[in-house]
Amino acid sequence: MKLLVINGPNLNMLGIREPDIYGRQTYKDLVDYVNQICAQKGIDCQVFQSNHEGDIVDKIQAAYGNTDGIVINPAAYTHTSVAILDALKAVCIPAVEVHLSDVNSRESFRHISYAGMACEKTYAGFGFEGYKMAIEYLEGKSNL
Ligand code: DQA
């Protein structure tokens, strides 16, 4: 199984940014966590992070025809980006949305998720564990 994990803007600042919300673990810790889970499961995984909306769109488009699943935390673009929504819809790759924090219990502008409209599932508020849940959901699909 080939998996793409996409992380949006400011997630590279994990460990520094708002630790009361996002915790003290770093972005490298997150990448190591995801890679370790995938290695254990024999999943071929690429983890990508960008602060740029167009780069995320390009990455989703490049996954067309060669990727079995996408785990995406679009970060702030979750709540603004129709372009990321459209890219996910265009490639038709099973996608799962993840948020470290519980976006629905935060400010009202975080309650809207455009990307989530193209995702089969959302895991929010589980910290790093949400990525594991998303990977396992997609792994379960690919075993069907
Ligand atoms: C986030 C939630 C978003 O609202 C926020 O803009 C982020 C991170 C999360 O993982 O909890 O940057 O996606």
Side-chain angles (χ1 to χ4, degrees):
M1 180 192 181
K2 215 171 152 208
L3 187 74
L4 174 63
V5 178
I6 298 176
N7 288 306
N10 301 305
L11 288 170
N12 57 314
M13 297 293 282
L14 283 179
I16 298 166
R17 72 181 291 211
E18 302 178 272
D20 43 322
I21 297 174
Y22 299 112
R24 297 212 173 264
Q25 286 184 286
T26 66
Y27 184 68
K28 184 184 178 300
D29 293 334
L30 175 61
V31 174
D32 290 347
Y33 175 81
V34 167
N35 281 332
Q36 194 194 348
I37 289 164
C38 290
Q40 279 163 5
K41 295 176 178 296
I43 296 172
D44 174 358
C45 172
Q46 188 191 359
V47 186
F48 173 80
Q49 189 275 331
S50 177
N51 294 324
H52 305 279
E53 185 176 17
D55 288 348
I56 294 171
V57 170
D58 286 345
K59 196 72 188 173
I60 293 167
Q61 289 184 8
Y64 178 70
N66 60 55
T67 301
D68 304 304
I70 295 176
V71 174
I72 184 162
N73 181 349
Y77 289 139
T78 306
H79 320 298
T80 62
S81 180
V82 177
I84 292 174
L85 166 64
D86 286 349
L88 289 169
K89 283 176 139 179
V91 296
C92 271
I93 298 168
V96 177
E97 175 187 24
V98 172
H99 298 287
L100 296 164
S101 65
D102 181 8
V103 279
N104 285 315
S105 65
R106 298 179 62 193
E107 304 96 319
S108 58
F109 65 83
R110 294 186 205 272
H111 298 181
I112 296 240
S113 171
Y114 290 100
M117 293 174 196
C119 291
E120 296 186 10
K121 286 243 166 217
T122 296
Y123 297 104
F126 299 104
F128 284 11
E129 182 88 18
Y131 287 79
K132 184 174 183 223
M133 295 159 106
I135 292 163
E136 287 180 345
Y137 172 79
L138 291 168
E139 183 191 30
K141 280 194 67 124
S142 83
N143 287 341
L144 290 178

